Amino acid sequence: MSERVIGIDLGTTNSCVAIVENGTPVVIPNRGGYKTTPSMVAIAENGKRLVGHIAKRQAITNAEHTVYAAKRLIGRKWNSPPVRQAMESVGYQISEGPHDDVRIVLRNQTYSIPEISAYVLQEMKLIAEEHLGGTVDKAVVTVPAYFNDGQRQATKDAGRIAGLDVIRIINEPTAAALAYGFGKNIERKVAVFDLGGGTFDISILEIGNGVFEVISTAGDTFLGGEDFDKRIIDWLVFGFAKEHKIDLRRDKMALQRLKDVAEKAKCELSSAKEAEINLPFIISQGGEALHLQRTLTRDKLEELTADLIERCVNICRKTLAEADIEKAGIEDVILVGGMTRMPKIQQSVAQFFGMEPCKGVHPDEVVALGASIQGSALTETDSEMLLLDVTPHSLGIMIVGGYFHRLIIQNTTVPTQASHIFTTVKDNQTSVKILVLQGESDRAEENELLGEFILTGLRRAPKSEVEVEVTFEISADGIVSVSAKDMETGLKQAITVTATSGLTEDEIRRMVEESKDYLLDQKASEEFEKYKQNAEKLIDEIESLFPRVEAAIAGSDFGQDAVKKARSVIDRARQGIQGRDQQAVGDSNEALTRTLNMFKGVVAKTRVG
Amino acid sequence: MGQSPSGKGDLRGAAERLERGIERYGEGDLAGALIEFEAALQLYPSSARGKQFAAWVKDVQAGRKSISGGRRADALDEDALRAVDEALEDPPSKPPSGSFPPAIAPPERTRKGTPLPPTLEPPPPYEGKPPSPSYEGKPPSSDRQRRLTPPTRAETAPTMAQLASQPATPPRVTRDAADHHESPWDPVPLTPGGQHEVRRADVLAELQSSATKAAPPPPKLPPEGSSATILGMPPLEPKLLTPQRKRKVQEDRPESVTREFRSATPTGPNLRPLDVPELTEEQIQGLLSLDSPLLPEGRTTPQIELDRIDELNDSQEQRLIELEAMPTPLPHRAPEGLNHSRKNDTNPMGVSSFAGESGGEFEPQQLTPTGVKASGLKAVREPSPEDDPYADLNLLPLEVAPDLAGADENEEGGTNPTNPFIRGAKLAAYTSYGTGGEPKLEDMPPLPKQPTGTHKLAHPLATAEAALQAGDVNAAVDACERALAQSGGLAGNVARDHLPLVEQIYGAILIAADRVPRHGHATADLEPRSAFLLSRIDGSMTVEDVLDVSGMPRLEALRTMALLARRGAIVIT
């Protein structure tokens, strides 16, 4: 029997975990029964770490110490535009890390982005382990198709910190198409329209003969369901301010309630024509409590979010154009993400692609299901399925004039290899500097530098006489290797571009240990609480019987001894509780139970006597 | 019923209650006084004085108690008893019927002032040394426990020899063996028959001893079935009990001619707290010759006026003369100046000493109704605190509480611990044995360390804590709310200094942190913060989770949840 591998959709706003059981992929619900878990981490005032639903419930009242949408920051450089944009919109503190990476400060503690994502992955791991009744060590984690190597490596590091061996990172549209195509012998060109809580992605896939090829992918990392929520909140706030001259956004508690009710109303309007929004005692003014009560119709919601829907459509249009694909060539449109439940979204997609989108898959769960299928395929030796992935960005080097020369074009299926011969640009040039870049811009400076190296020992010759062959190789795991060879001498120089998340190996190792310790502490704390509650209950019962027992038996030496011992047991238990000594409390529970039984016996006897 | 925290008691609270009870008693409100004394016992069950005072009041309410059939050597005869009864007006109280197991106390009954039915047999004699004065934190000694443990029916009455050898604690006096029953809430009585019995017995004993210097003959046991044989003393000549000048106890029911009070009927405001025997003029003058602070010039109390005998005449309202009673179980001492060789109420046989033919159990200077041997007597205040039965309750007010006292009461310097209405600075004259002469104030038990005119509890949340211990969570929360309101609310010093207790009190309503709260019925008049807290409850989060996401300080969140739960807006599942 193969080892169990879970598939995790690590989303921007919500995450989901699934596994293949008896050949069928199933989503694993969390303790609250929900199939998705908010990708939020908070540190409470008492230092407690909150993850998931509970973190979401206080995201606004504790905004400075609640992290959301960490996926927008993972693997990015400190001075990258997305980080700047995120800093302007989030409530928590973002700071620069020691390796030009991004860190977050919560309650005077600094956390790396992979660490934050690790807490979410750890939560998903625990959900799976609770469901399966055993440990889970391996996982396939999905990422957006446009994630670069640094972002993918950071996601893998997050998995490692969470105690998971991430055996594969796959693209989300690929995972969705995998779940959609699983069990179906189809050859199709499909568009995956993924509108989640925080991001929008559109991918074009070609499925055939068990091969899933991503032809094109694009999106907007700051466009998602939360933007729709914000429109509703603004509408409610403005209406209330018009009536009462109070800006509810200034009150965190009011804003939290608004956020929760706006999301709920949005979801309701996917199936109902109107939603009643009722927030009693939302705020007080002059000692009088005010209430917010409004009705939001579907039409009004569509009016409020029309531009957001238009943005999605525009991105789709651009992606098709870049892939040089006609809309008529798309045979199916797959909807992924909770926001695709909105009727207007479905209508707009249908209108754009000229066909009704496929609704046969659960939009919240499909990516996790696809990841679990991939995980099962990787561990099963007899799997006939081959999943080809593509490189999301072009790879190349800088050439004279500061231009970017592509060697591997974007969306090239991996693994792949490409070579090109270059010459010197100066007379008597004896060395060349190879700058490995990733991106789509023709200007080298606008692309991301993955690495560089120097090839020396070239013979002195006039320019253009010496030839250097540069080879790019991308493995199935996305590791890029670049080599340069002097065609005359055969001298070769090579580098392996290992994506970095911004964390060193030592840091990752430390975080892995801390994560393990945290889990152990959690378990111990839960057990201690159980012991403590039992002990306190026993103590209460014993003390309620004490006077009667004391009156009944304290006249004898035996009775006094028993009373003395009973007090001693209670004192010991209390000391254990106060000192949070689980062992002592656990031992005391037994003694307390015996004492209580003895007391009950005495009382029963005196009643009869 | 409220119980003091196990192993410890609220001494200050008990002292306050005792004082209040004394006040009530002084006002003639016996029921109220009993309630206060019993409340003190609840706060500090081991309080000997609380028990003493409660028994005192009960005895006053219930009337006379008599010991059953002739086992006591110091019983009064029937005539003496009748004469005393005639001085009183209230009818005897009928003890409630039925009985209950000796080991189980019916505190509810005692709290209401219902007298307990008489026991069949007297309690066993007090044996061994007095309990350790420092009870707090220590398990009670066997002796102390013996004193507190209610006697069972199986326990036999003490023999004469036992009685002679026992310390001053008199055995319980019962009226009727058939319908009297012990309960652990019955304290060891001060004297057989209660206070008025003590008074009568004391006076009779003193008068008797003054009439004769010889040791009295062995007490003649009263006939079987006689209800008059209560103290084991020889029968007195009736004429000795016939007062020369009649004095009536002023009560609100003048038609009553007996001294026994209905237990269920609260006494009137003019009820005198003590019964005293009718005294002859000679006896009165003898008493007056004592340096008695009981009859200060011009001092009066609202209900009890202690006047000098020579100021009284027939036309004036009769007043009750208080006599100083001996502290119990301290040995009693005859007042100075009494002629022990004369026949009188306390020495009807006119013997000079009771340690006569039989070798005597009594000595002239140490006449006690219980006939305790001198060798068995102990000094009131021995150097060793171990022998002091009351040392554990050092806060008993030797000085009258300022709100009760006038200036002259403070001058007098103290109250008799056995009879709080006896204000006597010369208490030591009757309490310091073996020293003679002027009593020393340093022999007195230490004064309670309370600021004058103020009665502050050491622990501002003591009431709440006691209620919590008793399981009355709502009362605990109410008391906690009051304490917090008086100390600056949740940010005040009480909340700050007693945070764990405050959290425990509010947390008690929420039962446990892992319980899941759900919405109850809709409530009106919510604060926005309370409404926010309610909005966090989704039926899946535990109490602890809700506190974590409350968006407010933990204590505030805990309190808000607790109060919402009390209102029914939250249901804890």
Side-chain angles (χ1 to χ4, degrees):
Chain A
M1 185 173 160
S2 58
E3 197 174 353
R4 290 187 292 202
V5 179
I6 56 175
I8 300 177
D9 171 14
L10 183 62
T12 306
T13 49
N14 291 292
S15 297
C16 181
V17 59
I19 195 167
V20 174
E21 284 184 330
N22 301 321
T24 304
V26 293
V27 169
I28 303 171
N30 59 23
R31 247 177 269 175
Y34 298 100
K35 291 192 173 176
T36 59
T37 300
S39 303
M40 283 193 184
V41 176
I43 305 296
E45 198 176 334
N46 57 4
K48 199 188 290 187
R49 187 195 300 169
L50 310 175
V51 181
H53 285 285
I54 188 172
K56 188 177 180 181
R57 298 289 277 168
Q58 50 88 74
I60 293 181
T61 55
N62 188 28
E64 296 86 7
H65 309 291
T66 301
V67 180
Y68 63 94
K71 193 173 173 181
R72 293 190 180 128
L73 305 170
I74 194 168
R76 294 196 184 272
K77 298 290 185 192
W78 163 247
N79 53 6
S80 63
V83 172
R84 296 291 157 195
Q85 190 175 359
M87 285 174 71
E88 291 169 8
S89 61
V90 299
Y92 48 89
Q93 184 184 348
I94 298 174
S95 64
E96 184 179 359
H99 313 293
D100 195 29
D101 60 328
V102 180
R103 303 285 166 125
I104 293 175
V105 181
L106 303 175
R107 306 265 177 207
N108 298 322
Q109 286 269 346
T110 303
Y111 300 86
S112 66
I113 308 301
E115 232 175 329
I116 298 293
S117 295
Y119 298 152
V120 178
L121 289 172
Q122 196 174 61
E123 184 71 16
M124 309 315 289
K125 179 176 185 280
L126 289 172
I127 291 170
E129 286 176 345
E130 266 189 43
H131 172 81
L132 299 170
T135 56
V136 171
D137 298 317
K138 294 188 188 300
V140 169
V141 182
T142 63
V143 296
Y146 55 82
F147 258 26
N148 61 24
D149 290 341
Q151 291 170 303
R152 289 167 195 259
Q153 187 58 45
T155 304
K156 283 186 93 169
D157 289 343
R160 192 175 152 198
I161 294 169
L164 285 168
D165 176 18
V166 181
I167 61 174
R168 181 67 67 92
I169 295 282
I170 66 172
N171 293 329
E172 288 162 9
T174 303
L178 198 63
Y180 178 70
F182 178 74
K184 299 178 186 177
N185 292 321
I186 56 170
E187 293 184 5
R188 304 295 268 257
K189 190 176 283 180
V190 299
V192 179
F193 185 98
D194 184 352
L195 183 58
T199 59
F200 168 66
D201 295 313
I202 178 71
S203 306
I204 309 297
L205 301 178
E206 191 155 348
I207 305 169
N209 299 322
V211 175
F212 295 79
E213 185 176 351
V214 178
I215 300 171
S216 176
T217 184
D220 187 342
T221 54
F222 286 90
L223 176 59
E226 297 205 334
D227 300 288
F228 288 70
D229 296 341
K230 193 170 179 307
R231 297 297 172 87
I232 298 174
I233 292 171
D234 290 341
W235 175 73
L236 291 171
V237 166
F238 293 144
F240 193 84
K242 197 173 172 184
E243 187 180 345
H244 299 285
K245 306 289 184 289
I246 295 176
D247 184 359
L248 289 175
R249 290 173 300 187
R250 293 180 184 275
D251 184 294
K252 284 186 179 179
M253 290 186 178
L255 189 56
Q256 178 73 64
R257 291 175 72 185
L258 281 169
K259 174 83 173 66
D260 295 340
V261 81
E263 184 178 351
K264 193 175 169 198
K266 177 189 71 176
C267 294
E268 278 184 18
L269 289 172
S270 294
S271 53
K273 290 284 187 183
E274 59 183 40
E276 192 73 29
I277 296 174
N278 190 7
L279 295 173
F281 310 99
I282 184 72
I283 205 163
S284 65
Q285 183 184 42
E288 182 193 350
L290 301 177
H291 315 297
L292 187 152
Q293 195 164 3
R294 291 190 81 173
T295 301
L296 178 64
T297 62
R298 184 187 290 180
D299 290 341
K300 186 63 185 176
L301 174 60
E302 290 170 359
E303 179 191 327
L304 293 171
T305 57
D307 61 312
L308 299 174
I309 298 172
E310 189 59 33
R311 268 168 68 183
C312 295
V313 173
N314 288 338
I315 292 171
C316 291
R317 190 176 292 119
K318 185 181 169 190
T319 303
L320 285 178
E322 284 180 358
D324 197 21
I325 299 171
E326 294 293 328
K327 282 190 275 185
I330 303 297
E331 294 169 86
D332 272 305
V333 178
I334 299 171
L335 296 178
V336 176
M339 266 315 298
T340 59
R341 294 181 196 271
M342 183 176 175
K344 185 64 178 178
I345 296 283
Q346 295 175 9
Q347 187 184 342
S348 300
V349 168
Q351 192 175 355
F352 174 78
F353 286 98
M355 70 186 83
E356 282 297 319
C358 181
K359 299 173 192 174
V361 295
H362 294 285
D364 297 334
E365 306 166 13
V366 63
V367 172
L369 289 170
S372 69
I373 292 169
Q374 176 70 358
S376 174
L378 289 171
T379 54
E380 295 285 341
T381 52
D382 58 350
S383 173
E384 296 177 354
M385 192 176 59
L386 173 65
L387 177 62
L388 300 176
D389 215 333
V390 299
T391 174
H393 301 289
S394 300
L395 288 168
I397 62 171
M398 188 178 82
I399 57 174
V400 62
Y403 291 99
F404 175 64
H405 183 90
R406 293 176 176 78
L407 272 81
I408 294 179
I409 310 299
Q410 182 187 24
N411 292 327
T412 301
T413 309
V414 296
T416 187
Q417 181 178 348
S419 298
H420 193 84
I421 296 175
F422 299 87
T423 63
T424 55
V425 297
K426 287 179 183 174
D427 293 337
N428 300 319
Q429 184 176 343
T430 58
S431 62
V432 290
K433 188 175 183 181
I434 307 297
L435 294 172
V436 181
L437 300 165
Q438 181 185 51
E440 307 310 319
S441 173
D442 289 336
R443 299 291 303 173
E445 63 189 4
E446 292 174 3
N447 294 319
E448 191 173 351
L449 179 66
L450 295 183
E452 62 184 64
F453 63 96
I454 295 174
L455 178 66
T456 59
L458 301 177
R459 70 177 175 87
R460 290 178 179 278
K463 59 182 179 181
S464 303
E465 279 194 17
V466 177
E467 290 180 346
V468 174
E469 183 185 37
V470 175
T471 303
F472 271 71
E473 190 177 336
I474 305 177
S475 69
D477 290 331
I479 297 176
V480 177
S481 300
V482 180
S483 63
K485 186 170 79 173
D486 186 345
M487 298 298 287
E488 278 188 28
T489 62
L491 277 174
K492 192 176 177 181
Q493 196 65 263
I495 59 166
T496 298
V497 179
T498 305
T500 173
S501 61
L503 297 174
T504 64
E505 182 61 25
D506 285 342
E507 281 178 317
I508 294 173
R509 227 177 266 133
R510 175 183 60 80
M511 289 171 192
V512 169
E513 288 305 313
E514 284 175 3
S515 175
K516 283 181 189 169
D517 293 340
Y518 175 80
L519 282 176
L520 286 172
D521 286 345
Q522 279 287 92
K523 203 170 180 185
S525 183
E526 280 172 16
E527 283 195 18
F528 173 79
E529 281 303 315
K530 243 190 282 179
Y531 282 134
K532 177 186 162 208
Q533 279 168 23
N534 193 38
E536 283 173 345
K537 189 180 161 198
L538 288 169
I539 288 172
D540 283 344
E541 286 189 59
I542 290 170
E543 287 196 331
S544 71
L545 295 176
F546 228 109
R548 291 160 74 179
V549 170
E550 205 168 11
I553 68 173
S556 67
D557 288 341
F558 164 77
Q560 289 169 35
D561 188 47
V563 163
K564 199 193 304 187
K565 281 180 181 166
R567 290 200 191 283
S568 162
V569 164
I570 290 174
D571 288 341
R572 254 204 326 273
R574 284 205 171 118
Q575 281 170 15
I577 289 170
Q578 204 165 2
R580 294 194 70 84
D581 185 345
Q582 182 179 325
Q583 181 69 32
V585 176
D587 293 341
S588 292
N589 274 349
E590 207 182 313
L592 287 169
T593 304
R594 284 200 303 272
T595 303
L596 179 63
N597 290 339
M598 186 261 287
F599 275 32
K600 281 181 176 173
V602 169
V603 169
K605 251 189 157 180
T606 52
R607 263 203 209 105
V608 172
Chain B
M1 147 172 187
Q3 299 284 346
S4 61
S6 56
K8 299 191 180 186
D10 180 6
L11 298 182
R12 286 202 179 264
E16 277 204 8
R17 289 291 192 154
L18 287 175
E19 288 180 13
R20 232 175 280 159
I22 292 169
E23 200 177 304
R24 299 275 179 278
Y25 192 81
E27 294 167 359
D29 179 10
L30 283 188
L34 184 62
I35 288 170
E36 295 294 342
F37 293 144
E38 285 172 343
L41 281 173
Q42 288 175 26
L43 290 173
Y44 195 82
S46 307
S47 166
R49 286 191 177 141
K51 290 172 188 165
Q52 201 172 343
F53 293 170
W56 186 296
V57 173
K58 279 181 208 163
D59 289 340
V60 173
Q61 284 181 330
R64 222 168 11 103
K65 290 183 186 177
S66 60
I67 196 169
S68 61
R71 279 179 243 123
R72 307 304 300 263
D74 50 355
L76 287 175
D77 68 349
E78 192 168 343
D79 288 341
L81 212 57
R82 199 180 301 115
V84 171
D85 287 349
E86 283 173 2
L88 301 177
E89 295 179 8
D90 280 353
S93 61
K94 188 173 167 27
S97 60
S99 63
F100 38 85
I104 306 291
E108 292 77 9
R109 293 184 63 191
T110 44
R111 208 183 296 120
K112 291 175 187 169
T114 306
L116 300 167
T119 55
L120 284 172
E121 295 168 352
Y126 182 78
E127 293 174 357
K129 64 174 186 179
S132 164
S134 175
Y135 180 72
E136 186 165 314
K138 290 186 192 175
S141 67
S142 58
D143 289 333
R144 189 173 181 81
Q145 280 305 300
R146 187 158 180 75
R147 229 177 82 189
L148 295 177
T149 302
T152 63
R153 292 176 186 273
E155 289 178 340
T156 56
T159 62
M160 289 301 297
Q162 285 173 331
L163 285 173
S165 63
Q166 69 180 343
T169 306
R172 174 173 291 281
V173 175
T174 64
R175 183 184 305 111
D176 185 348
D179 56 3
H180 189 108
H181 195 97
E182 291 279 347
S183 91
W185 294 102
D186 288 339
V188 176
L190 301 171
T191 59
Q195 282 291 34
H196 59 281
E197 297 295 341
V198 172
R199 206 48 37 83
R200 182 173 57 230
D202 285 350
V203 169
L204 291 176
E206 287 163 12
L207 292 176
Q208 273 187 322
S209 65
S210 68
T212 170
K213 287 201 169 89
K220 176 182 165 187
L221 297 179
E224 283 289 327
S226 167
S227 62
T229 55
I230 57 171
L231 295 178
M233 290 181 65
L236 301 172
E237 294 179 26
K239 67 173 184 182
L240 292 177
L241 297 176
T242 304
Q244 299 263 339
R245 292 166 66 180
K246 284 197 179 294
R247 281 174 181 74
K248 291 182 187 175
V249 174
Q250 184 176 353
E251 290 183 308
D252 56 348
R253 284 179 292 157
E255 70 277 5
S256 174
V257 293
T258 67
R259 294 182 63 211
E260 289 178 296
F261 299 91
R262 291 202 186 87
S263 60
T265 305
T267 56
N270 293 324
L271 176 70
R272 298 292 172 245
L274 302 170
D275 333 313
V276 293
E278 303 293 347
L279 302 172
T280 63
E281 181 63 34
E282 207 174 46
Q283 292 161 355
I284 292 165
Q285 291 303 326
L287 290 171
L288 288 177
S289 66
L290 304 174
D291 185 7
S292 170
L294 297 176
L295 306 171
E297 290 285 350
R299 186 181 73 84
T300 61
T301 62
Q303 302 300 333
I304 303 170
E305 296 186 20
L306 306 178
D307 300 325
R308 292 201 171 272
I309 302 298
D310 54 5
E311 292 177 359
L312 294 175
N313 54 55
D314 286 335
S315 63
Q316 287 183 349
E317 213 170 339
Q318 301 303 319
R319 299 281 181 231
L320 185 69
I321 299 172
E322 290 187 23
L323 296 181
E324 294 190 17
M326 300 304 149
T328 306
L330 306 172
H332 296 267
R333 182 178 175 178
E336 292 175 0
L338 284 179
N339 185 355
H340 294 279
S341 63
R342 285 192 300 119
K343 278 188 182 180
N344 53 35
D345 287 350
T346 59
N347 186 8
M349 301 303 289
V351 295
S352 58
S353 168
F354 283 2
E357 299 160 6
S358 65
E361 299 169 358
F362 305 97
E363 293 175 15
Q365 296 301 320
Q366 292 168 350
L367 289 177
T368 73
T370 62
V372 177
K373 272 189 179 173
S375 58
L377 298 177
K378 293 184 188 297
V380 174
R381 296 290 176 256
E382 287 190 347
S384 166
E386 297 294 319
D387 295 332
D388 183 359
Y390 303 105
D392 60 299
L393 199 59
N394 289 330
L395 45 75
L396 282 179
L398 291 181
E399 289 185 348
V400 176
D403 55 345
L404 295 177
D408 35 7
E409 287 193 71
N410 285 331
E411 277 178 350
E412 295 161 10
T415 60
N416 185 307
T418 62
N419 179 359
F421 301 99
I422 295 176
R423 283 115 168 97
K426 307 304 175 189
L427 175 63
Y430 304 99
T431 60
S432 58
Y433 286 81
T435 60
E438 199 69 14
K440 297 184 181 53
L441 283 179
E442 52 267 29
D443 292 337
M444 305 294 230
L447 295 173
K449 291 179 184 176
Q450 290 184 23
T452 304
T454 61
H455 299 278
K456 286 184 186 168
L457 294 175
H459 190 344
L461 290 171
T463 307
E465 189 175 16
L468 186 68
Q469 293 285 345
D472 190 348
V473 177
N474 284 322
V477 169
D478 289 338
C480 183
E481 289 278 291
R482 283 194 298 272
L484 292 178
Q486 291 166 5
S487 63
L490 297 180
N493 58 325
V494 169
R496 191 177 55 244
D497 298 340
H498 304 280
L499 183 60
L501 177 59
V502 174
E503 287 189 349
Q504 189 185 355
I505 290 169
Y506 287 120
I509 289 190
L510 303 173
I511 305 175
D514 63 346
R515 296 292 188 109
V516 176
R518 297 188 195 279
H519 289 148
H521 58 70
T523 52
D525 299 330
L526 278 180
E527 288 290 325
R529 290 171 82 80
S530 300
F532 175 77
L533 196 66
L534 266 181
S535 73
R536 298 303 90 194
I537 294 171
D538 62 359
S540 67
M541 297 172 72
T542 63
V543 168
E544 189 65 30
D545 291 340
V546 174
L547 293 176
D548 286 337
V549 304
S550 64
M552 56 185 81
R554 184 181 173 86
L555 181 58
E556 182 188 350
L558 195 58
R559 175 178 177 268
T560 304
M561 274 192 81
L563 296 180
L564 285 171
R566 281 223 300 184
R567 289 175 66 173
I570 295 176
V571 174
I572 307 295
T573 59

